[in-house]
Every structure is written in C-alpha cells, then in structure tokens.
Amino acid sequence: MLSPLFIYVHGFNSSPDSVKARLFGDFLKANNKGADIGDYAVPALSHWPEEAIKQLEALITENSQRPVILIGSSLGGFYSLWLTERYKNCTTVLVNPAIYPYHLLAEWLGDNENLYTHERYTLTREHLTQLEALAVDKVTDSQRYLLLTQTADETLDYREAVDFFDKSPAFIQTGGSHGFDQFEKLIPAIISFSQGQLALPEATPLPSFIE
C-alpha cells in the first residue's frame, strides 16, 4: 500500500507558516526516518474559496492512487469536509473546524490582511456566496472524519462541529483556544487515524482565557 499524503489545509487569513502546520511538519521530519509515515504538503491557499478548492483538488487528483489525509483547521476544516465527500481516497482530521463560515465571516466583510503573508485584500459578498456553494448538508461516512475541538474556542462555537459530526470519533477538550492549544500532543493520534486506528489521549482540561 502506498504511503499517505498529508495535506494541511490552513484557515482564514492563515498560511503554511501557521504554528500547527509547522508542528506537524516537524513531527514528520523527526519520525519518518525509521518508518515511512508519509509525505506532507501545505499549500498557500487563495482567499477566494473557489480558487482555494481548485488548488486542493489539483493536489488530491495528482495523488489519486494513494491515501490522502486532510488536516483542516477552522475554514480549512470546511474545505476539507467538501473535499472528503467528493474524493474517496480522502479522510479528514478536523481541528476546531468552521461549519458555517459564510455566516461567521459576514462580520469580516471589508479590508483584510493575512496574518502571516500580510497580503491585503477586500472580503466581499462574493466570497460568502462562494463559501455557501461549498456547504455540505451531512456526511456520508462518519468514520472518515476525526474531530479535534476545544470548548473555549474564542472564534467558533465548538458545539456546531460536535453536533454536525455527532457520529464521528472525537476528541473534545475543555478549555483551550481557537488555535488549539497543545496541538502537538494530538499528532500521534492523527498518525494512528491515518493508519486506520484510533488512539486518542485523555482529554485533560486546559486553561481558558475566555471571560
């Protein structure tokens, strides 16, 4: 069996230089020496949803003969859901995923700047329309998804993801943040999931800074 391709799908106004993307890449570099765990790609996604999806589809179709594991963070989780429902070689790990970003991002209409690249652009109603066109009503196979979420997410209501993926394996941790605190502790579980196993650690409560 071919080794998997991990694709980290970053979130809104993020980039391949995000903390979680770098942590996962560092783990693979450190642990691929003794065994072929898999390859890794972190595309720099367009702020236009249609273009971002095309970028991801190109990667998936180029690797159609091997397993693809999407690690979707926030808006990247929304993209990963759409892709997993359309490509049978994909499974997905969702990290504090956005379930309804076309509602959430309505508050961000206007001038925006990518936190990492400092690219400036205008978020428009067309962005929201493109996002809504990617909405998925329900999953066809809940076992193709692993949900990782923290209850003190200051950006999203974690309960939306818990409700949407109610039949999928999940790691629900009290406290934390939208950035998913101590993400590195979940990386071995992500690797296990990619190998068809489930080995989640205990969800020990974390501090929260939400008032």
Side-chain angles (χ1 to χ4, degrees), residues 67-157:
V68 171
I69 294 85
L70 302 170
I71 304 172
S73 174
S74 192
L75 178 59
F78 178 77
Y79 290 155
S80 298
L81 167 60
W82 188 91
L83 292 161
T84 303
E85 289 301 306
R86 280 154 182 80
Y87 293 93
K88 298 303 181 185
N89 62 321
C90 289
T91 54
T92 284
V93 178
L94 303 139
V95 186
N96 283 339
I99 305 301
Y100 310 106
Y102 38 90
H103 296 319
L104 179 71
L105 293 182
E107 300 177 5
W108 291 77
L109 290 173
D111 294 337
N112 273 267
E113 180 178 343
N114 188 289
L115 299 174
Y116 294 87
T117 67
H118 302 294
E119 175 193 10
R120 294 178 178 273
Y121 66 97
T122 301
L123 189 72
T124 68
R125 291 284 177 186
E126 176 59 23
H127 284 84
L128 304 185
T129 298
Q130 290 185 16
L131 285 172
E132 194 160 7
L134 299 171
V136 172
D137 291 333
K138 61 181 180 179
V139 301
T140 55
D141 184 354
S142 60
Q143 300 310 300
R144 293 172 66 196
Y145 299 89
L146 170 61
L147 174 64
L148 309 179
T149 189
Q150 294 181 334
T151 64
D153 188 326
E154 70 278 13
T155 300
L156 304 170
D157 184 344

